[in-house]
Amino acid sequence: MAYPLHVAFIWHQHQPLYKSCRSGQYLLPWVRLHGTKDYLDLIMVLAKYPRLHQTVNLVPSLILQIQDYVNGVALDPYLTAALTPVEQLTDQQRWFIIEHFFDANHRTMIDPHPRYNELYQQRQDKGATWCWQNWTLADYGDLLAWHNLAWIDPFFWQEDEIAQWFDQGKNFSLSDRQRIIAKQRHILSQILPQHRQMQDNGQIEVITTPYTHPILPLLADTDAGRVAVPQMTLPADRFQYPDDIDRHLRRSLHLYQQTFGRKPRGLWPSEQSVSPGILPKVAHHGFEWLCSDEAVLGWTTQTFFHRDERGTVQDPQHLYQPYGLKTNEGDMAIVFRDHRLSDLIGFTYSSMAPDVAAQDLIGHLEGIKIKLLSQQEDGGTALEKPWLVTIALDGENCWEFYQQDGLPFLESLYQRLSDRPEFELVTVSEYLQRFEVREQLPSDRLHSGSWIDGSFTTWIGDPVKNKAWDYLNAARQTLARHPEATEKANPAAWQALLAAEGSDWFWWFGEGHSSNQDAMFDQLFREHLAALYQALNEPIPDDLEKPLESHEVKETHPPQGYIHPIIDGKGDEQDWNFAGRITVGGARGTMHRQSLAQRLWYGVDHLNFYLRLDFQGTDLDAVKRMSGLHFFWYYPEQVLYNSPIPLAELPDQAPLNYLYHHHLKVNFLQQQVSLSQAIANYQWEDRQQGIQFCFDKCLELAIPWADLHVTPDWGLRLLGILTQDHCYREHLPEDQLLLLTAP
């Protein structure tokens, strides 16, 4: 029998509890804004293509907050400001508006709207203080309106009332803003009913997550962190409360049944985190399947998913099928997502033309099918077994970076998939109903890990993250000392605990991730814990009144996510927001001549690796009169030709006396860039290249991975050198090589 290639999209829709358990106030607006922009339109677009079926995960903490906004009982500071007459805005509110009402990707959500862009450019070019001193009441009124209008999804722009606001453009009154907020609430009110209807019609499957999105393996035992990282430094006190897993799952099931009139079949374990210890509890509550990441499968089976230069998995039969898990509480299936395909949608396709990106994804699916066919014994042209490619990712945050919130990309992709019978989009439960699971995984040997590197280092092990676990453990122990405070007798205490157990707080603590809301996430975590003590009539520890860490912007840090900057030499702050950065200027001290460079930025996506160099002062003409800038790198785990640095007056010291594989030269004076590669006998050979570069306010470079002929997951070490009159002047960074990895 011939089979199509089955594809399961799973969209993960999640927001943490922004409602403080202590004050009852919402501190951040992201449920309301993402609810207006991302949750409803995603399935409404799908509804236009009835042949395509997908799975959507709605996290309980998101559902609860949507219901609060729909019922009119949620009020956040952004909403309060928008509904305040501009003449009554306090000084504090005006500063808050100037600082936060441009919280959006400016290229896709601000620049397309002339009035919004005008205000944004004033803030960027003239500064917040100038805005404070010169903005009129009308300026504030328009900014309040546009911040909310920009978060209305383009799917709804053709509606008469919304189109009228876009045509109006400026001079928005309080009445206008009230009607805009009413439109937001109307869109929010359709999210849950539309999901229920499309699930009842069979086009989507809605699944759930533990109640407040906790890392279940770490609730069971924080020692699970040492499975992937044996030397991990753990919190001072071991957290072991496996019964809390049951509480999260019970509440999820109850809310789901209230909302959708049935039981869920699938579970998205928070952060796709699994361990042997959680499986019996998941099975006990009746879940039939759960999903995780290919890294977890790889660790479990001791398989590394090698990919070719195109990114196609070399042994696809291991990844593209569900596996069975047997527990003493029942059997389940587990699917593992293709990490690369998921990340392409989440982080890279937004930088490509929609049709090109859609065709690229189709090309990857074609490559998977060809690879599967090549491993069939009969050499036929049809698949002899039903395979399942799982693409699972965040369904909300990525669209902010796409043209028109991803609408052109999704319509182009869905049309192509609808026209190709060799691909069949299914829900996970549909696939499991039709086909038997062919292989089992030993449940007791399932790897304990998450979708990030197959480990839990994003949530534990860092000193600040560990401090947060210690705070949580102390609060949990306090609750355990109050046996009278049952979930029924003292629901406030348990609600506060479950809120604090959510994964999001630990995500932002310490190293690894940062945003301009870090201080607010810190505050929310501590307020949830304070509410627990308050509900038990226990004194609130003094530590909970102080932030866990300083939230000042760090001058030097590694990359925090994928980037895809526009190479225009402007150094746009949002383009490079998640890039790694190293401060160079002044690092050499008084014994060295002053560095011309000030800061080096670096990062990657699936298309390029990116470099940016900021220079000291404003005399960039002096910089351009230099001979140039050179970057050298090698691949430490690969057996390749490497050659010495071909520059004069080079000190004989590490890392200048290392051998390198690639050499990128930027000639400032001639405005040229060239690429060469090491060959035999320690020589260099020029290579064709499609490198983008621009030098205006700073130097920006985009080096295509395709020019380097590397395969995914290759690590590289990078060194920069500035030259004067074709001779070595200085290298950067001074005391280390930069480490990057091809996605």
Side-chain angles (χ1 to χ4, degrees):
M1 181 176 178
Y3 294 96
L5 182 64
H6 297 89
V7 182
F9 279 86
I10 310 176
W11 302 105
H12 175 55
Q13 311 289 33
H14 162 56
Q15 295 292 337
L17 279 172
Y18 297 119
K19 182 179 181 179
S20 168
C21 291
R22 189 177 187 184
S23 67
Q25 298 297 309
Y26 276 75
L27 302 188
L28 289 168
W30 304 121
V31 168
R32 175 174 59 87
L33 296 179
H34 279 291
T36 306
K37 188 174 75 67
D38 296 311
Y39 305 136
L40 181 59
D41 68 289
L42 187 68
I43 59 171
M44 295 294 286
V45 175
L46 182 68
K48 297 163 61 177
Y49 303 88
R51 179 175 171 264
L52 309 182
H53 293 189
Q54 293 184 353
T55 303
V56 179
N57 177 41
L58 294 178
V59 176
S61 55
L62 171 64
I63 292 175
L64 288 169
Q65 294 176 101
I66 289 174
Q67 291 172 336
D68 274 0
Y69 276 106
V70 171
N71 294 330
V73 296
L75 198 64
D76 59 71
Y78 296 70
L79 182 56
T80 299
L83 295 176
T84 299
V86 289
E87 60 272 11
Q88 295 179 19
L89 291 170
T90 65
D91 287 350
Q92 183 179 13
Q93 283 179 310
R94 289 170 61 200
W95 274 114
F96 179 79
I97 292 166
I98 293 170
E99 182 178 3
H100 289 292
F101 272 59
F102 299 105
D103 286 350
N105 181 269
H106 78 85
R107 296 193 186 278
T108 59
M109 297 180 64
I110 296 177
D111 295 358
H113 310 301
R115 176 59 169 151
Y116 201 7
N117 184 50
E118 176 188 5
L119 296 169
Y120 175 74
Q121 293 303 328
Q122 288 177 2
R123 210 279 303 265
Q124 292 300 101
D125 297 340
K126 299 181 180 180
T129 301
W130 183 93
C131 296
W132 167 264
Q133 294 172 342
N134 292 278
W135 272 0
T136 66
L137 294 179
D139 291 328
Y140 284 101
D142 288 349
L143 180 53
L144 292 169
W146 271 111
H147 178 256
N148 288 285
L149 282 173
W151 282 86
I152 295 178
D153 192 87
F155 189 86
F156 307 110
W157 285 1
Q158 300 306 312
E159 295 183 14
D160 290 343
E161 192 172 27
I162 297 173
Q164 178 184 341
W165 290 325
F166 276 67
D167 289 340
Q168 178 179 334
K170 58 184 179 180
N171 297 324
F172 289 97
S173 65
L174 175 61
S175 176
D176 291 326
R177 300 198 301 276
Q178 290 170 335
R179 288 188 294 120
I180 292 169
I181 298 303
K183 176 58 70 174
Q184 286 185 344
R185 186 174 171 187
H186 174 69
I187 293 172
L188 289 166
S189 72
Q190 299 178 67
I191 294 171
L192 299 178
Q194 185 67 28
H195 279 81
R196 177 167 181 164
Q197 178 185 328
M198 289 182 66
Q199 177 163 246
D200 291 345
N201 292 342
Q203 191 175 6
I204 68 171
E205 174 182 6
V206 181
I207 62 172
T208 192
T209 286
Y211 190 57
T212 61
H213 204 267
I215 307 292
L216 294 185
L218 297 180
L219 294 190
D221 189 349
T222 46
D223 277 7
R226 285 197 173 133
V227 173
V229 185
Q231 305 306 315
M232 173 183 283
T233 300
L234 290 174
D237 294 319
R238 186 176 181 179
F239 192 99
Q240 270 186 302
Y241 289 95
D243 288 349
D244 287 358
I245 295 175
D246 292 304
R247 293 184 173 92
H248 281 279
L249 294 178
R250 277 200 309 269
R251 293 189 179 215
S252 293
L253 287 167
H254 179 70
L255 181 62
Y256 186 99
Q257 289 173 302
Q258 278 188 326
T259 306
F260 299 107
R262 63 171 74 183
K263 291 184 64 175
R265 304 179 69 173
L267 180 76
W268 178 297
S270 314
E271 313 293 2
Q272 297 188 340
S273 298
V274 294
S275 68
I278 76 167
L279 297 180
K281 293 183 176 294
V282 175
H284 172 77
H285 289 281
F287 290 100
E288 299 174 16
W289 65 270
L290 68 166
C291 64
S292 191
D293 184 76
E294 66 175 59
V296 172
L297 176 61
W299 282 73
T300 302
T301 62
Q302 296 300 296
T303 301
F304 186 85
F305 292 106
H306 293 281
R307 285 173 159 84
D308 61 21
E309 190 173 320
R310 168 77 173 137
T312 304
V313 174
Q314 300 286 56
D315 296 304
Q317 72 278 8
H318 297 304
L319 179 58
Y320 301 125
Q321 62 169 315
Y323 287 82
L325 293 167
K326 295 184 179 297
T327 79
N328 55 11
E329 293 287 345
D331 299 342
M332 294 180 298
I334 184 169
V335 297
F336 298 95
R337 71 171 187 155
D338 183 309
H339 193 117
R340 182 176 176 84
L341 292 188
S342 304
D343 277 359
L344 283 171
I345 298 173
F347 302 108
T348 296
Y349 284 156
S350 60
S351 64
M352 300 167 63
D355 286 344
V356 174
Q359 186 54 50
D360 187 78
L361 183 57
I362 297 294
H364 282 290
L365 295 176
E366 291 171 337
I368 292 169
K369 182 178 179 181
I370 291 170
K371 185 64 72 172
L372 288 167
L373 288 171
S374 71
Q375 298 186 0
Q376 293 183 174
E377 293 182 359
D378 69 347
T381 59
L383 294 174
E384 297 176 341
K385 294 180 180 180
W387 301 100
L388 179 68
V389 177
T390 300
I391 300 173
L393 69 149
D394 185 320
E396 57 205 357
N397 291 313
C398 66
W399 306 119
E400 182 177 343
F401 301 92
Y402 278 75
Q403 296 178 26
Q404 295 182 48
D405 207 51
L407 183 60
F409 165 73
L410 288 174
E411 290 186 329
S412 180
L413 176 64
Y414 290 168
Q415 188 61 60
R416 283 171 164 80
L417 290 169
S418 291
D419 294 341
R420 300 286 292 273
E422 66 268 36
F423 303 123
E424 183 177 354
L425 267 62
V426 294
T427 70
V428 177
S429 289
E430 279 180 325
Y431 182 93
L432 294 172
Q433 283 179 313
R434 293 185 205 170
F435 309 112
E436 292 185 1
V437 173
R438 298 192 291 272
E439 293 193 36
Q440 298 287 319
L441 290 178
S443 298
D444 60 339
R445 295 208 298 272
L446 181 69
H447 177 67
S448 298
S450 74
W451 65 272
I452 298 183
D453 299 328
S455 75
F456 299 123
T457 55
T458 299
W459 303 275
I460 196 168
D462 171 279
V464 183
K465 299 178 193 293
N466 286 349
K467 185 198 296 187
W469 277 102
D470 287 335
Y471 286 6
L472 176 63
N473 207 358
R476 185 65 182 85
Q477 291 171 0
T478 301
L479 180 55
R481 291 195 294 269
H482 286 266
E484 79 286 353
T486 63
E487 290 181 76
K488 185 174 182 180
N490 196 333
W494 288 96
Q495 179 67 13
L497 171 73
L498 298 179
E501 288 180 337
S503 70
D504 297 84
W505 326 118
F506 302 92
W507 172 283
W508 297 110
F509 291 142
E511 298 296 329
H513 298 95
S514 183
S515 75
N516 64 352
Q517 303 288 356
D518 284 4
M520 191 63 74
F521 286 116
D522 188 331
Q523 178 182 334
L524 271 166
F525 173 73
R526 291 181 288 108
E527 287 197 8
H528 293 325
L529 292 179
L532 189 155
Y533 288 100
Q534 200 170 34
L536 296 173
N537 291 317
E538 291 273 5
I540 298 172
D542 292 340
D543 285 342
L544 295 184
E545 302 300 331
K546 303 186 294 287
L548 274 86
E549 60 181 323
S550 169
H551 297 291
E552 296 178 0
V553 177
K554 297 179 177 66
E555 290 296 318
T556 296
H557 62 71
Q560 299 180 8
Y562 291 111
I563 63 172
H564 24 261
I566 292 176
I567 306 302
D568 57 9
K570 305 296 185 185
D572 184 89
E573 62 178 342
Q574 286 190 349
D575 284 1
W576 294 90
N577 190 38
F578 295 114
R581 62 195 70 176
I582 291 180
T583 298
V584 179
R588 296 170 178 268
T590 58
M591 297 301 292
H592 297 269
R593 56 185 169 180
Q594 179 67 32
S595 173
L596 284 174
Q598 180 183 44
R599 186 171 292 113
L600 177 65
W601 309 67
Y602 60 103
V604 305
D605 63 13
H606 292 84
L607 303 177
N608 307 289
F609 87 78
Y610 300 96
L611 296 166
R612 166 184 159 191
L613 193 60
D614 297 345
F615 293 93
Q616 300 279 4
T618 58
D619 188 8
L620 296 182
D621 287 336
V623 173
K624 292 178 181 178
R625 288 193 294 271
M626 295 177 59
S627 296
L629 171 68
H630 302 255
F631 285 103
F632 296 88
W633 61 93
Y634 67 93
Y635 308 90
E637 291 86 20
Q638 309 304 321
V639 179
L640 301 166
Y641 288 120
N642 292 295
S643 298
I645 294 174
L647 295 175
E649 300 183 13
L650 193 70
D652 185 16
Q653 65 185 53
L656 300 171
N657 53 11
Y658 292 179
L659 304 180
Y660 294 87
H661 186 70
H662 280 119
H663 173 199
L664 170 65
K665 178 181 179 181
V666 180
N667 188 307
F668 293 132
L669 194 59
Q670 298 179 7
Q671 293 286 290
Q672 290 180 345
V673 63
S674 61
L675 179 70
S676 56
Q677 181 175 307
I679 57 174
N681 301 316
Y682 300 115
Q683 301 299 304
W684 291 96
E685 183 175 81
D686 289 342
R687 288 286 187 262
Q688 288 188 334
Q689 48 79 22
I691 296 169
Q692 301 176 60
F693 96 105
C694 188
F695 190 0
D696 187 358
K697 295 180 180 178
C698 63
L699 175 72
E700 294 180 324
L701 294 153
I703 302 98
W705 295 114
D707 288 356
L708 307 177
H709 302 290
V710 303
T711 59
D713 295 314
W714 278 22
L716 66 86
R717 302 291 194 276
L718 180 76
L719 174 72
I721 296 179
L722 282 164
T723 58
Q724 184 85 44
D725 299 324
H726 305 288
C727 297
Y728 167 86
R729 174 188 170 108
E730 62 175 301
H731 64 277
L732 49 103
E734 182 183 29
D735 54 0
Q736 61 182 308
L737 292 173
L738 293 185
L739 170 64
L740 289 168
T741 301

